[in-house]
Amino acid sequence: MTEKDVFIAIVQIIVAAVIAWLVSRSESRREIDNKVREIRGTLALQLTEQRIRVYPQLWEIISSIYGARRKHKPDEAVVERNKDVLCKMRIWSRTNGIFFSKESLKAFYELENALKLHPSNKKYDAEKIEKIDTARDSLKRQLKHDVGILDDSIDGLKNDPDFSDYEE
């Protein structure tokens, strides 16, 4: 065996070792990536399960908001009801707000802000009522989306009693 043959054999061994190392590293990376995907999937499922457990409570709370559908109610009753709803929303969010998606948290805050009434005002004006209705419907739509109920098309809203203020 010549020096050249020894050199070629050593190079082949080194190349084979590098290839084996790269293949094993690639397989390890793939295993790690698969495990990470599995863990993320499990966490997403658990988060959705928690949302399904707690979102109906918030849905019930915000469904009692007096908006445009309650025009026949005295102004004081509308204001008092909505103050009570705002208080219940805040209590609910202290223990369950952690389950919000970024979008539902934004919608929650928009509804919270819409429900607030300046202390000098004794009633909601038409513009404020419209903001309340829009914010409530937006939060409901987002809650549905967060739990996987994705039909929020206009046709779906026409037939949904919780969106009965929809007008063409």
Side-chain angles (χ1 to χ4, degrees):
M1 195 177 236
T2 66
E3 275 186 31
K4 184 178 179 183
D5 291 338
V6 170
F7 178 74
I8 290 173
I10 292 173
V11 168
Q12 287 176 337
I13 291 170
I14 292 172
V15 168
V18 167
I19 290 173
W21 178 77
L22 289 173
V23 167
S24 99
R25 181 178 170 170
S26 175
E27 288 174 5
S28 295
R29 172 48 69 202
R30 205 171 344 195
E31 288 175 23
I32 290 170
D33 289 345
N34 287 339
K35 195 63 173 172
V36 166
R37 271 194 291 284
E38 180 184 327
I39 291 169
R40 283 185 179 154
T42 300
L43 291 175
L45 181 62
Q46 289 174 348
L47 177 60
T48 301
E49 288 171 351
Q50 288 300 316
R51 287 175 175 166
I52 289 171
R53 185 180 63 76
V54 300
Y55 276 11
Q57 299 160 3
L58 180 60
W59 188 281
E60 184 177 346
I61 291 168
I62 65 176
S63 292
S64 66
I65 290 172
Y66 278 172
R69 294 177 290 196
R70 307 304 196 291
K71 290 179 183 176
H72 61 281
K73 297 285 183 184
D75 293 334
E76 298 81 24
V78 172
V79 170
E80 286 307 310
R81 167 67 69 90
N82 289 349
K83 279 183 183 179
D84 183 55
V85 168
L86 183 57
C87 180
K88 288 177 180 177
M89 285 173 55
R90 289 174 174 162
I91 291 169
W92 180 92
S93 72
R94 286 186 200 131
T95 55
N96 300 303
I98 192 167
F99 301 118
F100 276 140
S101 66
K102 185 171 112 178
E103 294 81 9
S104 57
L105 180 62
K106 181 181 180 216
F108 180 88
Y109 286 140
E110 286 174 1
L111 178 56
E112 183 180 51
N113 287 332
L115 287 170
K116 291 178 186 174
L117 193 60
H118 191 275
S120 65
N121 294 339
K122 301 285 187 219
K123 66 179 190 170
Y124 296 109
D125 60 21
E127 182 181 332
K128 189 74 164 170
I129 292 288
E130 184 177 329
K131 284 181 183 179
I132 290 170
D133 286 341
T134 301
R136 181 198 56 229
D137 294 349
S138 176
L139 178 55
K140 282 186 167 188
R141 188 176 298 109
Q142 191 57 51
L143 294 176
K144 287 170 63 173
H145 185 272
D146 283 0
V147 297
I149 303 171
L150 304 176
D151 181 22
D152 61 356
S153 65
I154 295 301
D155 292 332
L157 294 179
K158 288 180 189 176
N159 301 320
D160 189 333
D162 291 310
F163 291 91
S164 61
D165 291 336
Y166 172 78
E167 295 176 14
E168 292 191 79

